[in-house]
Amino acid sequence: SRTQRRVDDYLHYDSLRNVALSGAAAGAFTSIFTSPMIITKTKQQIQNWSFKRAALDTYRRNGFRGYYMGFGLHFTCDCFGRAVYMLTYESMKRQLARRKGDENISLLDRIASAAAAGMICWASIFPFDLVRSKLYMKSFKSDVPPSTLDGILLAREMVVQRGWTSLYRGVGVTVARAGPVAAVILPVYDTVLANVS
């Protein structure tokens, strides 16, 4: 039946592995476009410049490759982060659906699943995000753009000097902020999709 087919599709058709791979692919693709934006935004905040001045300064110092300095860290944040984000959200929704024996879980269940997904995502990528930001800050006064290896060496230096906790300084605020944001985005997506299908 149509109802049974919808339930089977939701619970079984798209494996969680496929969900994670799709999320990772989306993150990998968007990282190409978000890297220049993040670098320019960070420079704006640190130097108190306009967007145009920050973008032009990056290009003047390092050319086009300046927009992709330390790209491996940014790629990891977007690719791995999106995989965790979507995997956690879908996994929690499916667990709730199975527990209730009903595909149509409540909006509150979706909000809780989305909030948890956002928080777990940011907790998992926070060290990469922190090192990325520090790497960008160090690079702004240099004419040589740092590489991903420079980021790894920076992380190692932080751990040697201040221990592993140095990679998680500020994680509490970031994770707390991520919950409410994700709690709005994903349930709205689900609700709109359900109503237009």
Side-chain angles (χ1 to χ4, degrees):
S1 69
R2 177 179 173 79
T3 302
Q4 184 63 43
R5 185 168 69 250
R6 286 185 61 196
V7 172
D8 287 345
D9 285 350
Y10 179 75
L11 294 176
H12 306 295
Y13 183 72
D14 289 320
S15 70
L16 291 176
R17 181 189 67 180
N18 289 346
V19 169
L21 286 174
S22 298
F29 182 74
T30 57
S31 68
I32 299 169
F33 303 99
T34 56
S35 181
M37 303 293 288
I38 294 291
I39 288 172
T40 304
K41 181 197 78 169
T42 305
K43 181 171 285 190
Q44 271 188 282
Q45 293 171 339
I46 299 300
Q47 306 285 18
N48 197 25
W49 287 349
S50 67
F51 182 87
K52 180 179 179 181
R53 183 177 177 185
L56 290 176
D57 182 75
T58 299
Y59 185 79
R60 182 181 61 79
R61 286 178 179 274
N62 308 123
F64 189 71
R65 66 178 183 156
Y67 297 117
Y68 293 93
M69 55 180 147
F71 182 70
L73 293 170
H74 180 72
F75 180 85
T76 301
C77 285
D78 278 14
C79 181
F80 180 67
R82 289 298 156 197
V84 172
Y85 189 51
M86 297 310 301
L87 176 63
T88 303
Y89 182 56
E90 287 298 326
S91 179
M92 289 192 67
K93 285 197 305 180
R94 293 177 191 198
Q95 287 297 324
L96 289 168
R98 288 192 184 96
R99 187 175 300 172
K100 295 185 174 185
D102 184 2
E103 175 190 9
N104 298 311
I105 61 175
S106 69
L107 178 60
L108 187 60
D109 289 333
R110 293 177 189 275
I111 289 172
S113 299
M119 295 170 79
I120 291 170
C121 166
W122 270 101
S124 67
I125 67 170
F126 187 82
F128 299 100
D129 180 67
L130 178 67
V131 174
R132 175 181 63 179
S133 296
K134 287 185 176 293
L135 189 70
Y136 289 169
M137 286 188 286
K138 288 183 69 173
S139 73
F140 292 157
K141 295 182 179 180
S142 171
D143 290 331
V144 179
S147 65
T148 300
L149 177 59
D150 292 322
I152 294 171
L153 294 175
L154 176 59
R156 182 176 179 274
E157 179 184 333
M158 290 169 62
V159 171
V160 168
Q161 291 181 356
R162 297 184 295 278
W164 286 99
T165 56
S166 64
L167 296 177
Y168 289 90
R169 188 159 296 152
V171 67
V173 174
T174 300
V175 168
R177 182 189 64 190
V181 173
V184 172
I185 294 173
L186 292 175
V188 168
Y189 165 81
D190 274 353
T191 301
V192 173
L193 182 62
N195 282 292
V196 299
S197 296

